[in-house]
């Protein structure tokens, strides 16, 4: 048995990630048609779970930053260090160790003329109001800490948080729609609800679905966005994001980085203008917070803030606190869960009850596999692994995409994008790998 990785000619992701952030001309790519290929389970490649190997730690990629007063430059720091300290640099000066949770919905001010000027400024350009907060929909200090930290980890100027991943994607579409750029070019598979939002045109957008090789030809004068997900939900198909960004030309590329997280790849370094996360998943990491976030340049962030203020898709401060706390353990969690997943993928690939295993070249904690038998019996048979939608939690979750996460996508479209009726998606957690295998082994039956 071999592990099967769906990828696209000249778009297949190379080992691990591209580490250079130095600007320069993008290489020319010959964009060929989509093709599925099969790879051995363990080809020579970097191990993203090996802290001593050539895995990405972000040390060389983080730009020089300044302290909270902006007066003293400091050296770049590794991703693991940023995960712990980003968004918290001012706490020690305040005599605090844990970030405070600001639950205020409104903030008193005796200077109503000043408040008016600040609100006018926000309405004009979407920049974060200077000075103390004004109102919860304009921004919250606790949420702002999370936004600062996530932008640091993704290597972008800014980040804007929302009440859910779908609220974040909706805001991106509304920003582009407001400019008359309603056309979207997208590559399947995407998360099922993202697919539905685009296909149904619920926000007035129009979508053209293409293979990666068809992106450039699908662009129109009114194209406002190209959207991809890599590794994709749920097939774990991978794209060379740098090649995709080149094909987009001047059209912004939105890359859903929910599965990989900045621990495994940073799409902005490969040309994506927008990096989307369902923060409910790995960023939170404990299955107890729902959120979304877009990491991007400050110009785009200003439009997102204006949409968030107008539509009300704000993130609750407690959720912002939980996400900030979740980021501090993100590298440790992703690497430990990835080690478990790699071992389970190896065992599943050798199991005669399993027809095919999908596992990304860049590693990660997600596995997709197709069984010879009834996938619903596998779901019903687990006892340790939780049979539930969602992913990225400390505990392992398994679900049947054709029944749940991608049920809203038309059956023919599902199957054409590789989401077959026998496909199962496994989000591997932090349990002992022997216990996880014992549960899977029992659920697979004889």
């Amino acid at each position: 048995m071999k592990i099967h990785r769906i990828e696209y000619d000249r778009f297949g992701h190379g080992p691990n990630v591209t580490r250079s952030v130095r600007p320069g001309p993008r290489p020319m790519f010959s964009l060929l048609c989509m093709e599925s290929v099969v790879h051995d389970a363990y080809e020579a490649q970097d191990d993203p779970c090996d802290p001593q190997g050539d895995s990405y730690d972000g040390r060389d990629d983080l730009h020089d930053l300044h302290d909270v007063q902006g007066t003293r430059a400091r050296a770049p720091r590794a991703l693991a260090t940023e995960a712990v300290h980003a968004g918290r640099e001012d706490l020690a000066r305040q005599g605090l160790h844990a970030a405070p949770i600001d639950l205020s919905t409104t903030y008193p001010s005796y200077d109503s003329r000043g408040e008016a000027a600040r609100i006018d400024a926000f309405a004009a350009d979407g920049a974060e109001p200077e000075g103390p907060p004004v109102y919860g929909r304009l921004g919250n200090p606790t949420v702002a800490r999370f936004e600062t930290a996530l932008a640091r980890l993704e290597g972008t100027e800014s980040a804007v948080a929302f009440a859910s991943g779908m609220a974040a994607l909706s805001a991106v579409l509304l920003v582009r729609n407001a400019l008359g750029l309603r056309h979207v070019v997208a590559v399947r598979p995407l998360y099922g609800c993202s697919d539905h939002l685009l296909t149904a045109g619920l926000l007035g957008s129009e979508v053209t679905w293409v293979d990666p090789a068809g992106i450039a030809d699908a662009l129109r004068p009114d194209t406002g966005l190209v959207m991809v997900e890599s590794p994709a939900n749920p097939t774990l198909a991978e794209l060379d994001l740098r090649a995709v960004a080149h094909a987009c030309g001047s059209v912004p590329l939105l890359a859903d980085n929910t599965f990989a997280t900045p621990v495994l790849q940073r799409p902005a370094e490969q040309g994506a203008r927008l990096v989307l996360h369902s923060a409910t998943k790995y960023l939170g990491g404990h299955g107890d917070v729902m959120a979304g976030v877009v990491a991007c340049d400050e110009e785009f962030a200003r439009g997102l803030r204006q949409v968030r203020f107008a539509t009300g898709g704000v993130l609750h401060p407690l959720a912002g606190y939980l996400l900030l706390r979740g980021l501090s353990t993100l590298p440790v969690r992703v690497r430990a869960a990835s080690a478990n997943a790699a071992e389970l993928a190896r065992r599943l690939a050798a199991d005669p009850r399993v027809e095919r295993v999908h596992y990304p070249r860049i590693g990660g904690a997600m596995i997709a596999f197709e069984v010879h038998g009834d996938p619903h019996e596998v779901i019903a048979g687990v006892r340790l692994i939780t049979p539930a939608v969602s992913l990225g939690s400390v505990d392992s979750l398994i679900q049947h995409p054709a029944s749940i996460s991608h049920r809203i996508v038309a059956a023919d479209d599902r199957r054409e994008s590789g989401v077959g009726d026998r496909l199962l998606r496994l989000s591997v957690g932090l349990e002992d790998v022997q216990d996880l295998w014992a549960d899977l082994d029992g659920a697979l039956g004889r």
Side-chain angles (χ1 to χ4, degrees), residues 252-291:
L253 170 62
L254 182 150
D256 189 328
N257 203 33
T258 298
F259 276 26
T261 80
V263 177
L264 299 181
Q265 71 179 8
R266 302 210 296 183
E269 293 172 357
Q270 302 177 55
R273 185 177 180 187
L274 308 164
V275 181
L276 174 69
H277 284 272
S278 172
T280 308
K281 313 305 193 297
Y282 287 103
L283 303 189
H286 294 76
D288 55 7
V289 58
M290 182 169 288

Side-chain angles (χ1 to χ4, degrees), residues 139-376:
N140 173 273
T142 306
V143 173
R145 290 181 181 276
F146 163 66
E147 292 172 330
T148 296
L150 192 277
R152 194 84 59 78
L153 294 184
E154 282 290 3
T156 60
E157 285 185 285
S158 302
V160 183
F162 294 85
S164 69
M166 293 308 301
L169 176 57
S170 296
V172 171
L173 295 175
L174 290 173
V175 167
R176 303 307 281 167
N177 288 356
L179 299 174
L181 303 173
R182 297 178 175 273
H183 180 239
V184 178
V185 175
V187 177
R188 282 184 169 127
L190 299 175
Y191 168 53
C193 288
S194 299
D195 188 306
H196 175 66
L197 181 65
L198 296 177
T199 301
L202 297 176
L203 298 177
S205 58
E206 175 192 351
V207 64
T208 299
W209 295 101
V210 297
D211 289 341
I215 290 174
D217 290 340
L219 299 179
R220 306 186 325 208
D222 64 337
T223 302
L225 189 72
V226 174
M227 182 173 181
V228 300
E229 184 172 3
S230 181
N233 186 352
T235 64
L236 305 179
E238 295 175 277
L239 302 177
D240 183 331
L241 294 177
R242 193 176 299 278
V244 172
H246 173 77
C248 293
S250 62
V251 176
L253 170 62
L254 182 150
D256 189 328
N257 203 33
T258 298
F259 276 26
T261 80
V263 177
L264 299 181
Q265 71 179 8
R266 302 210 296 183
E269 293 172 357
Q270 302 177 55
R273 185 177 180 187
L274 308 164
V275 181
L276 174 69
H277 284 272
S278 172
T280 308
K281 313 305 193 297
Y282 287 103
L283 303 189
H286 294 76
D288 55 7
V289 58
M290 182 169 288
V293 63
V294 179
C296 57
D297 57 89
E298 174 58 20
E299 179 185 359
F300 206 104
R302 293 182 176 195
L304 292 173
R305 294 187 196 108
Q306 290 175 319
V307 168
R308 182 178 64 181
F309 174 72
T311 60
V314 296
L315 184 65
H316 192 278
L318 180 58
Y321 171 81
L322 291 173
L323 288 167
L324 182 66
R325 187 176 69 170
L327 289 184
S328 64
T329 60
L330 178 66
V332 176
R333 287 187 286 106
V334 168
R335 288 168 180 147
S338 297
N340 278 350
E343 175 60 18
L344 291 178
R346 184 187 67 79
R347 297 188 189 192
L348 287 167
D351 195 301
R353 298 166 294 183
V354 176
E355 179 180 354
R356 183 171 291 170
V357 174
H358 307 260
Y359 187 67
R361 288 181 183 273
I362 63 170
M366 298 299 300
I367 304 172
F369 62 99
E370 299 162 56
V371 295
H372 289 294
D374 185 349
H376 301 285

Side-chain angles (χ1 to χ4, degrees), residues 234 353-358 367-379 398-403 414-415 418-426 444:
R353 298 166 294 183
V354 176
E355 179 180 354
R356 183 171 291 170
V357 174
H358 307 260
I367 304 172
F369 62 99
E370 299 162 56
V371 295
H372 289 294
D374 185 349
H376 301 285
E377 292 300 317
V378 178
I379 297 292
I398 192 170
Q399 65 112 5
H400 183 240
S403 295
R414 281 200 312 265
R415 296 186 186 104
V419 187
D421 293 337
R422 295 185 182 276
L423 183 74
L424 293 167
R425 190 190 74 187
L426 176 62
L444 286 168

Side-chain angles (χ1 to χ4, degrees), residues 72-192:
R72 182 169 58 87
R74 60 173 172 76
R77 302 190 299 202
L79 188 79
T81 303
E82 292 289 5
V84 173
H85 290 280
R88 306 167 178 85
E89 288 91 346
D90 63 321
L91 293 180
R93 292 184 182 87
Q94 300 183 54
L96 300 173
H97 185 230
I101 305 173
D102 187 335
L103 296 174
S104 296
T105 58
T106 191
Y107 300 85
S109 173
Y110 293 98
D111 181 11
S112 55
R113 292 185 182 88
E115 295 291 87
R118 296 168 68 207
I119 292 173
D120 287 346
F122 177 82
D125 63 12
E128 293 183 286
E130 296 182 1
V134 179
Y135 185 63
R137 266 194 295 120
L138 274 168
N140 173 273
T142 306
V143 173
R145 290 181 181 276
F146 163 66
E147 292 172 330
T148 296
L150 192 277
R152 194 84 59 78
L153 294 184
E154 282 290 3
T156 60
E157 285 185 285
S158 302
V160 183
F162 294 85
S164 69
M166 293 308 301
L169 176 57
S170 296
V172 171
L173 295 175
L174 290 173
V175 167
R176 303 307 281 167
N177 288 356
L179 299 174
L181 303 173
R182 297 178 175 273
H183 180 239
V184 178
V185 175
V187 177
R188 282 184 169 127
L190 299 175
Y191 168 53

